[in-house]
Short mmCIF file of all heavy atoms in Angstrom, two decimals:
data_model
loop_
_atom_site.label_atom_id
_atom_site.label_comp_id
_atom_site.label_asym_id
_atom_site.label_seq_id
_atom_site.Cartn_x
_atom_site.Cartn_y
_atom_site.Cartn_z
N VAL A 34 47.34 20.17 5.35
CA VAL A 34 48.33 21.24 5.42
C VAL A 34 47.79 22.43 4.64
O VAL A 34 47.03 22.26 3.68
CB VAL A 34 49.69 20.81 4.85
CG1 VAL A 34 50.33 19.74 5.71
CG2 VAL A 34 49.55 20.33 3.41
N VAL A 35 48.17 23.62 5.05
CA VAL A 35 47.77 24.84 4.35
C VAL A 35 49.03 25.54 3.85
O VAL A 35 49.99 25.73 4.62
CB VAL A 35 46.98 25.79 5.28
CG1 VAL A 35 46.65 27.10 4.56
CG2 VAL A 35 45.70 25.11 5.75
N PHE A 36 49.04 25.88 2.55
CA PHE A 36 50.14 26.60 1.94
C PHE A 36 49.68 27.99 1.53
O PHE A 36 48.54 28.17 1.10
CB PHE A 36 50.65 25.85 0.70
CG PHE A 36 51.68 24.80 1.01
CD1 PHE A 36 51.33 23.65 1.70
CD2 PHE A 36 53.00 24.95 0.61
CE1 PHE A 36 52.26 22.67 1.99
CE2 PHE A 36 53.95 23.99 0.89
CZ PHE A 36 53.59 22.85 1.58
N ASP A 37 50.57 28.96 1.67
CA ASP A 37 50.27 30.33 1.27
C ASP A 37 51.55 30.96 0.73
O ASP A 37 52.56 31.02 1.44
CB ASP A 37 49.73 31.14 2.45
CG ASP A 37 49.04 32.42 2.00
OD1 ASP A 37 49.18 32.80 0.82
OD2 ASP A 37 48.34 33.03 2.83
N GLY A 38 51.50 31.40 -0.52
CA GLY A 38 52.67 32.01 -1.12
C GLY A 38 53.85 31.08 -1.23
O GLY A 38 55.01 31.50 -1.15
N GLY A 39 53.59 29.78 -1.42
CA GLY A 39 54.66 28.81 -1.57
C GLY A 39 55.21 28.24 -0.29
O GLY A 39 56.15 27.44 -0.32
N GLU A 40 54.66 28.61 0.86
CA GLU A 40 55.15 28.12 2.14
C GLU A 40 54.03 27.48 2.95
O GLU A 40 52.88 27.93 2.89
CB GLU A 40 55.76 29.27 2.96
CG GLU A 40 56.99 29.91 2.32
CD GLU A 40 57.59 30.98 3.21
OE1 GLU A 40 56.99 31.26 4.27
OE2 GLU A 40 58.63 31.55 2.83
N GLU A 41 54.38 26.43 3.69
CA GLU A 41 53.42 25.80 4.59
C GLU A 41 53.21 26.69 5.81
O GLU A 41 54.16 27.05 6.49
CB GLU A 41 53.92 24.42 5.02
CG GLU A 41 52.94 23.67 5.91
CD GLU A 41 53.42 22.28 6.26
OE1 GLU A 41 54.15 21.66 5.44
OE2 GLU A 41 53.07 21.80 7.36
N VAL A 42 51.94 27.05 6.06
CA VAL A 42 51.65 27.96 7.16
C VAL A 42 50.93 27.28 8.32
O VAL A 42 50.90 27.83 9.43
CB VAL A 42 50.82 29.17 6.65
CG1 VAL A 42 51.64 30.01 5.69
CG2 VAL A 42 49.52 28.72 6.00
N SER A 43 50.34 26.13 8.10
CA SER A 43 49.70 25.41 9.20
C SER A 43 49.46 23.97 8.79
O SER A 43 49.48 23.62 7.60
CB SER A 43 48.37 26.07 9.60
OG SER A 43 47.40 25.93 8.59
N SER A 44 49.24 23.11 9.79
CA SER A 44 48.94 21.71 9.54
C SER A 44 48.02 21.21 10.64
O SER A 44 47.92 21.80 11.72
CB SER A 44 50.22 20.87 9.48
OG SER A 44 50.87 20.85 10.73
N PHE A 45 47.36 20.10 10.36
CA PHE A 45 46.41 19.52 11.32
C PHE A 45 46.38 18.02 11.10
O PHE A 45 46.39 17.53 9.97
CB PHE A 45 45.01 20.11 11.12
CG PHE A 45 43.95 19.44 11.96
CD1 PHE A 45 43.77 19.81 13.28
CD2 PHE A 45 43.15 18.45 11.42
CE1 PHE A 45 42.80 19.19 14.06
CE2 PHE A 45 42.18 17.83 12.19
CZ PHE A 45 41.99 18.20 13.52
N ARG A 46 46.34 17.27 12.22
CA ARG A 46 46.23 15.81 12.14
C ARG A 46 45.46 15.31 13.34
O ARG A 46 45.69 15.76 14.47
CB ARG A 46 47.61 15.16 12.10
CG ARG A 46 47.58 13.63 11.99
CD ARG A 46 48.98 13.04 12.00
NE ARG A 46 48.95 11.59 11.84
CZ ARG A 46 50.04 10.81 11.83
NH1 ARG A 46 51.24 11.36 12.01
NH2 ARG A 46 49.92 9.50 11.68
N SER A 47 44.55 14.38 13.12
CA SER A 47 43.79 13.82 14.24
C SER A 47 43.24 12.45 13.87
O SER A 47 42.82 12.22 12.73
CB SER A 47 42.63 14.74 14.62
OG SER A 47 41.83 14.15 15.64
N GLN A 48 43.23 11.55 14.83
CA GLN A 48 42.50 10.30 14.67
C GLN A 48 41.00 10.58 14.77
O GLN A 48 40.58 11.57 15.37
CB GLN A 48 42.92 9.30 15.74
CG GLN A 48 44.34 8.78 15.60
CD GLN A 48 44.70 7.76 16.66
OE1 GLN A 48 43.93 7.48 17.58
NE2 GLN A 48 45.90 7.18 16.54
N VAL A 49 40.22 9.69 14.18
CA VAL A 49 38.76 9.85 14.14
C VAL A 49 38.13 8.52 14.55
O VAL A 49 38.56 7.45 14.08
CB VAL A 49 38.28 10.24 12.73
CG1 VAL A 49 36.76 10.41 12.71
CG2 VAL A 49 38.97 11.51 12.26
N ARG A 50 37.13 8.57 15.39
CA ARG A 50 36.42 7.35 15.75
C ARG A 50 35.57 6.89 14.56
O ARG A 50 34.68 7.61 14.11
CB ARG A 50 35.51 7.60 16.97
CG ARG A 50 34.84 6.33 17.49
CD ARG A 50 34.18 6.57 18.84
NE ARG A 50 33.03 7.44 18.75
CZ ARG A 50 32.97 8.68 19.24
NH1 ARG A 50 34.02 9.20 19.84
NH2 ARG A 50 31.88 9.41 19.12
N PRO A 51 35.84 5.71 14.00
CA PRO A 51 35.10 5.27 12.81
C PRO A 51 33.64 4.98 13.11
O PRO A 51 33.29 4.54 14.22
CB PRO A 51 35.85 4.01 12.37
CG PRO A 51 36.50 3.50 13.62
CD PRO A 51 36.84 4.71 14.44
N VAL A 52 32.80 5.22 12.14
CA VAL A 52 31.36 4.96 12.30
C VAL A 52 31.12 3.47 12.44
O VAL A 52 30.37 3.02 13.31
CB VAL A 52 30.58 5.53 11.10
CG1 VAL A 52 29.09 5.21 11.24
CG2 VAL A 52 30.79 7.04 10.99
N ILE A 53 31.74 2.68 11.59
CA ILE A 53 31.66 1.22 11.68
C ILE A 53 32.87 0.75 12.50
O ILE A 53 34.01 0.88 12.05
CB ILE A 53 31.68 0.57 10.29
CG1 ILE A 53 30.49 1.08 9.46
CG2 ILE A 53 31.62 -0.96 10.39
CD1 ILE A 53 30.51 0.62 8.02
N PRO A 54 32.66 0.24 13.70
CA PRO A 54 33.78 -0.05 14.61
C PRO A 54 34.51 -1.34 14.25
O PRO A 54 34.48 -2.32 14.98
CB PRO A 54 33.09 -0.15 15.97
CG PRO A 54 31.73 -0.67 15.64
CD PRO A 54 31.35 -0.06 14.32
N GLU A 55 35.17 -1.33 13.11
CA GLU A 55 35.94 -2.48 12.66
C GLU A 55 37.30 -2.01 12.14
O GLU A 55 37.49 -0.81 11.89
CB GLU A 55 35.20 -3.24 11.56
CG GLU A 55 33.95 -3.95 12.04
CD GLU A 55 33.36 -4.86 10.98
OE1 GLU A 55 33.59 -4.58 9.78
OE2 GLU A 55 32.68 -5.83 11.32
N PHE A 56 38.20 -2.96 11.96
CA PHE A 56 39.53 -2.66 11.44
C PHE A 56 39.85 -3.72 10.40
O PHE A 56 39.78 -4.92 10.70
CB PHE A 56 40.56 -2.70 12.59
CG PHE A 56 41.62 -1.64 12.51
CD1 PHE A 56 41.33 -0.36 12.07
CD2 PHE A 56 42.92 -1.91 12.88
CE1 PHE A 56 42.31 0.63 12.01
CE2 PHE A 56 43.92 -0.94 12.84
CZ PHE A 56 43.60 0.34 12.40
N GLY A 57 40.21 -3.29 9.19
CA GLY A 57 40.52 -4.23 8.13
C GLY A 57 41.90 -4.86 8.30
O GLY A 57 42.73 -4.38 9.06
N ASP A 58 42.13 -5.94 7.57
CA ASP A 58 43.43 -6.61 7.65
C ASP A 58 44.56 -5.70 7.19
O ASP A 58 45.63 -5.68 7.80
CB ASP A 58 43.41 -7.89 6.79
CG ASP A 58 42.47 -8.94 7.35
OD1 ASP A 58 42.25 -8.93 8.58
OD2 ASP A 58 41.96 -9.76 6.57
N TRP A 59 44.35 -4.96 6.10
CA TRP A 59 45.39 -4.05 5.61
C TRP A 59 45.71 -3.01 6.68
O TRP A 59 46.88 -2.69 6.91
CB TRP A 59 44.91 -3.36 4.34
CG TRP A 59 45.94 -2.44 3.75
CD1 TRP A 59 46.86 -2.73 2.80
CD2 TRP A 59 46.16 -1.07 4.11
NE1 TRP A 59 47.65 -1.63 2.54
CE2 TRP A 59 47.25 -0.60 3.33
CE3 TRP A 59 45.57 -0.19 5.01
CZ2 TRP A 59 47.74 0.72 3.42
CZ3 TRP A 59 46.05 1.11 5.11
CH2 TRP A 59 47.11 1.55 4.32
N GLN A 60 44.70 -2.50 7.34
CA GLN A 60 44.91 -1.49 8.37
C GLN A 60 45.71 -2.04 9.55
O GLN A 60 46.56 -1.33 10.11
CB GLN A 60 43.56 -0.96 8.86
CG GLN A 60 42.86 -0.01 7.89
CD GLN A 60 42.13 -0.74 6.76
OE1 GLN A 60 42.19 -1.96 6.64
NE2 GLN A 60 41.41 0.01 5.95
N ARG A 61 45.47 -3.29 9.91
CA ARG A 61 46.21 -3.87 11.03
C ARG A 61 47.71 -3.92 10.76
O ARG A 61 48.53 -3.74 11.66
CB ARG A 61 45.72 -5.30 11.31
CG ARG A 61 44.33 -5.36 11.92
CD ARG A 61 44.01 -6.77 12.40
NE ARG A 61 42.60 -6.89 12.69
CZ ARG A 61 41.68 -7.30 11.82
NH1 ARG A 61 42.05 -7.64 10.61
NH2 ARG A 61 40.43 -7.38 12.16
N TRP A 62 48.07 -4.15 9.51
CA TRP A 62 49.47 -4.29 9.17
C TRP A 62 50.14 -2.96 8.86
O TRP A 62 51.36 -2.84 8.96
CB TRP A 62 49.63 -5.23 7.96
CG TRP A 62 49.37 -6.66 8.28
CD1 TRP A 62 48.28 -7.40 7.93
CD2 TRP A 62 50.22 -7.55 9.02
NE1 TRP A 62 48.38 -8.68 8.40
CE2 TRP A 62 49.56 -8.80 9.07
CE3 TRP A 62 51.45 -7.41 9.64
CZ2 TRP A 62 50.12 -9.90 9.73
CZ3 TRP A 62 52.01 -8.50 10.28
CH2 TRP A 62 51.34 -9.73 10.32
N ASN A 63 49.39 -1.96 8.43
CA ASN A 63 50.00 -0.75 7.88
C ASN A 63 49.80 0.52 8.70
O ASN A 63 50.54 1.48 8.49
CB ASN A 63 49.47 -0.50 6.47
CG ASN A 63 49.96 -1.53 5.48
OD1 ASN A 63 51.07 -1.44 4.96
ND2 ASN A 63 49.14 -2.54 5.21
N LEU A 64 48.84 0.56 9.59
CA LEU A 64 48.60 1.78 10.37
C LEU A 64 49.19 1.64 11.77
O LEU A 64 49.12 0.56 12.37
CB LEU A 64 47.10 2.08 10.44
CG LEU A 64 46.42 2.34 9.09
CD1 LEU A 64 44.94 2.67 9.28
CD2 LEU A 64 47.12 3.45 8.31
N PRO A 65 49.77 2.72 12.30
CA PRO A 65 50.50 2.63 13.57
C PRO A 65 49.63 2.74 14.81
O PRO A 65 50.07 3.23 15.85
CB PRO A 65 51.47 3.82 13.48
CG PRO A 65 50.70 4.85 12.71
CD PRO A 65 49.90 4.06 11.69
N TYR A 66 48.38 2.30 14.72
CA TYR A 66 47.49 2.33 15.86
C TYR A 66 46.47 1.21 15.69
O TYR A 66 46.38 0.59 14.62
CB TYR A 66 46.79 3.69 16.00
CG TYR A 66 46.33 4.29 14.70
CD1 TYR A 66 45.16 3.87 14.07
CD2 TYR A 66 47.08 5.28 14.07
CE1 TYR A 66 44.75 4.41 12.87
CE2 TYR A 66 46.69 5.83 12.87
CZ TYR A 66 45.51 5.40 12.27
OH TYR A 66 45.11 5.93 11.06
N SER A 67 45.71 0.95 16.72
CA SER A 67 44.77 -0.17 16.71
C SER A 67 43.33 0.34 16.73
O SER A 67 43.08 1.53 16.96
CB SER A 67 45.02 -1.06 17.92
OG SER A 67 44.69 -0.36 19.12
N LEU A 68 42.42 -0.58 16.54
CA LEU A 68 41.00 -0.22 16.64
C LEU A 68 40.68 0.25 18.05
O LEU A 68 39.87 1.17 18.23
CB LEU A 68 40.15 -1.43 16.27
CG LEU A 68 38.63 -1.23 16.38
CD1 LEU A 68 38.15 -0.11 15.47
CD2 LEU A 68 37.89 -2.53 16.05
N ARG A 69 41.32 -0.34 19.04
CA ARG A 69 41.09 0.08 20.43
C ARG A 69 41.45 1.55 20.61
O ARG A 69 40.75 2.30 21.30
CB ARG A 69 41.90 -0.80 21.38
CG ARG A 69 41.72 -0.45 22.85
CD ARG A 69 42.45 -1.43 23.72
NE ARG A 69 41.88 -2.77 23.61
CZ ARG A 69 42.34 -3.82 24.27
NH1 ARG A 69 43.37 -3.69 25.10
NH2 ARG A 69 41.77 -5.01 24.11
N ASP A 70 42.54 1.99 19.97
CA ASP A 70 42.92 3.41 20.04
C ASP A 70 41.86 4.29 19.39
O ASP A 70 41.51 5.35 19.91
CB ASP A 70 44.26 3.63 19.33
CG ASP A 70 45.41 2.88 19.97
OD1 ASP A 70 45.39 2.77 21.21
OD2 ASP A 70 46.29 2.40 19.24
N LEU A 71 41.35 3.84 18.25
CA LEU A 71 40.40 4.66 17.49
C LEU A 71 39.06 4.80 18.22
O LEU A 71 38.39 5.83 18.08
CB LEU A 71 40.16 4.04 16.11
CG LEU A 71 41.37 4.02 15.18
CD1 LEU A 71 41.03 3.30 13.89
CD2 LEU A 71 41.86 5.43 14.89
N LEU A 72 38.68 3.79 18.97
CA LEU A 72 37.41 3.87 19.68
C LEU A 72 37.44 4.92 20.79
O LEU A 72 36.40 5.31 21.32
CB LEU A 72 37.03 2.50 20.25
CG LEU A 72 36.74 1.42 19.19
CD1 LEU A 72 36.41 0.10 19.87
CD2 LEU A 72 35.62 1.85 18.26
N LYS A 73 38.65 5.38 21.15
CA LYS A 73 38.79 6.46 22.13
C LYS A 73 38.90 7.83 21.48
O LYS A 73 38.93 8.85 22.16
CB LYS A 73 40.04 6.22 22.98
CG LYS A 73 40.05 4.90 23.73
CD LYS A 73 41.39 4.69 24.44
CE LYS A 73 41.47 3.32 25.10
NZ LYS A 73 42.81 3.10 25.72
N ALA A 74 38.96 7.87 20.15
CA ALA A 74 39.16 9.11 19.42
C ALA A 74 37.86 9.91 19.33
O ALA A 74 36.76 9.37 19.50
CB ALA A 74 39.69 8.83 18.02
N PRO A 75 37.93 11.21 19.06
CA PRO A 75 36.72 12.01 18.89
C PRO A 75 35.97 11.63 17.62
O PRO A 75 36.53 11.01 16.71
CB PRO A 75 37.27 13.45 18.82
CG PRO A 75 38.69 13.30 18.38
CD PRO A 75 39.16 12.01 18.97
N SER A 76 34.72 12.01 17.56
CA SER A 76 33.89 11.70 16.39
C SER A 76 34.31 12.55 15.20
O SER A 76 35.04 13.53 15.33
CB SER A 76 32.42 11.97 16.71
OG SER A 76 32.22 13.36 16.92
N PHE A 77 33.80 12.17 14.03
CA PHE A 77 34.14 12.93 12.83
C PHE A 77 33.68 14.38 12.93
O PHE A 77 34.40 15.29 12.55
CB PHE A 77 33.50 12.28 11.59
CG PHE A 77 33.73 13.06 10.33
CD1 PHE A 77 34.92 12.94 9.63
CD2 PHE A 77 32.75 13.92 9.85
CE1 PHE A 77 35.14 13.69 8.47
CE2 PHE A 77 32.97 14.66 8.70
CZ PHE A 77 34.16 14.54 8.00
N SER A 78 32.48 14.59 13.45
CA SER A 78 31.96 15.96 13.53
C SER A 78 32.84 16.82 14.43
O SER A 78 33.07 18.01 14.15
CB SER A 78 30.51 15.95 14.04
OG SER A 78 30.42 15.35 15.31
N GLU A 79 33.35 16.24 15.53
CA GLU A 79 34.24 16.99 16.43
C GLU A 79 35.56 17.32 15.75
O GLU A 79 36.06 18.45 15.83
CB GLU A 79 34.50 16.18 17.70
CG GLU A 79 33.28 15.99 18.58
CD GLU A 79 33.54 15.04 19.73
OE1 GLU A 79 33.90 13.87 19.47
OE2 GLU A 79 33.42 15.47 20.89
N VAL A 80 36.12 16.34 15.05
CA VAL A 80 37.40 16.56 14.37
C VAL A 80 37.23 17.56 13.23
O VAL A 80 38.06 18.45 13.04
CB VAL A 80 37.97 15.23 13.85
CG1 VAL A 80 39.22 15.47 12.99
CG2 VAL A 80 38.30 14.29 15.01
N TRP A 81 36.14 17.41 12.47
CA TRP A 81 35.95 18.30 11.34
C TRP A 81 35.72 19.74 11.78
O TRP A 81 36.12 20.68 11.08
CB TRP A 81 34.80 17.84 10.46
CG TRP A 81 34.67 18.68 9.23
CD1 TRP A 81 33.69 19.58 8.92
CD2 TRP A 81 35.62 18.73 8.16
NE1 TRP A 81 33.96 20.18 7.72
CE2 TRP A 81 35.14 19.68 7.22
CE3 TRP A 81 36.81 18.07 7.89
CZ2 TRP A 81 35.81 19.98 6.05
CZ3 TRP A 81 37.49 18.36 6.72
CH2 TRP A 81 36.99 19.31 5.82
N SER A 82 35.11 19.95 12.93
CA SER A 82 34.91 21.30 13.43
C SER A 82 36.24 22.02 13.59
O SER A 82 36.36 23.22 13.28
CB SER A 82 34.17 21.24 14.77
OG SER A 82 34.04 22.53 15.33
N GLU A 83 37.27 21.29 14.04
CA GLU A 83 38.59 21.90 14.20
C GLU A 83 39.33 21.97 12.86
O GLU A 83 39.97 22.98 12.55
CB GLU A 83 39.42 21.10 15.21
CG GLU A 83 40.77 21.74 15.50
CD GLU A 83 41.55 21.02 16.59
OE1 GLU A 83 40.97 20.06 17.19
OE2 GLU A 83 42.71 21.38 16.84
N ALA A 84 39.23 20.90 12.06
CA ALA A 84 39.95 20.87 10.79
C ALA A 84 39.46 21.97 9.84
O ALA A 84 40.25 22.64 9.17
CB ALA A 84 39.79 19.50 10.13
N SER A 85 38.15 22.17 9.79
CA SER A 85 37.59 23.15 8.85
C SER A 85 37.97 24.58 9.21
O SER A 85 37.92 25.47 8.35
CB SER A 85 36.06 23.02 8.80
OG SER A 85 35.49 23.24 10.07
N SER A 86 38.39 24.82 10.46
CA SER A 86 38.81 26.17 10.84
C SER A 86 40.09 26.58 10.12
O SER A 86 40.42 27.77 10.06
CB SER A 86 39.01 26.25 12.36
OG SER A 86 40.10 25.43 12.78
N HIS A 87 40.81 25.60 9.56
CA HIS A 87 42.02 25.90 8.80
C HIS A 87 41.71 26.27 7.35
O HIS A 87 42.60 26.74 6.63
CB HIS A 87 42.96 24.70 8.80
CG HIS A 87 43.55 24.37 10.14
ND1 HIS A 87 44.84 24.69 10.51
CD2 HIS A 87 43.00 23.73 11.21
CE1 HIS A 87 45.06 24.27 11.73
NE2 HIS A 87 43.97 23.68 12.18
N LEU A 88 40.48 26.03 6.90
CA LEU A 88 40.17 26.15 5.48
C LEU A 88 39.59 27.52 5.10
O LEU A 88 40.11 28.19 4.21
CB LEU A 88 39.21 25.04 5.06
CG LEU A 88 39.70 23.61 5.34
CD1 LEU A 88 38.67 22.59 4.90
CD2 LEU A 88 41.04 23.35 4.67
N ASN A 89 38.49 27.90 5.72
CA ASN A 89 37.89 29.22 5.47
C ASN A 89 37.64 29.46 3.98
O ASN A 89 37.91 30.54 3.45
CB ASN A 89 38.77 30.33 6.04
CG ASN A 89 38.90 30.26 7.55
OD1 ASN A 89 37.92 29.99 8.24
ND2 ASN A 89 40.11 30.47 8.06
N GLY A 90 37.14 28.42 3.29
CA GLY A 90 36.73 28.60 1.90
C GLY A 90 37.82 28.53 0.86
O GLY A 90 37.55 28.70 -0.34
N ILE A 91 39.08 28.29 1.25
CA ILE A 91 40.15 28.23 0.26
C ILE A 91 40.07 26.91 -0.53
O ILE A 91 39.47 25.94 -0.06
CB ILE A 91 41.54 28.34 0.93
CG1 ILE A 91 41.75 27.19 1.93
CG2 ILE A 91 41.71 29.69 1.60
CD1 ILE A 91 43.13 27.18 2.59
#
Side-chain angles (χ1 to χ4, degrees):
V34 293
V35 176
F36 274 69
D37 197 347
E40 297 183 357
E41 182 176 330
V42 295
S43 68
S44 65
F45 173 82
R46 181 182 183 181
S47 176
Q48 291 182 355
V49 180
R50 186 169 69 250
V52 178
I53 301 173
E55 292 189 334
F56 219 38
D58 293 333
W59 182 93
Q60 285 81 355
R61 289 190 193 92
W62 287 106
N63 291 278
L64 298 182
Y66 41 80
S67 67
L68 178 60
R69 181 175 295 180
D70 297 325
L71 295 176
L72 295 179
K73 302 174 185 177
S76 66
F77 176 82
S78 59
E79 293 173 301
V80 174
W81 185 250
S82 176
E83 185 175 355
S85 60
S86 66
H87 293 258
L88 304 179
N89 297 319
I91 60 177

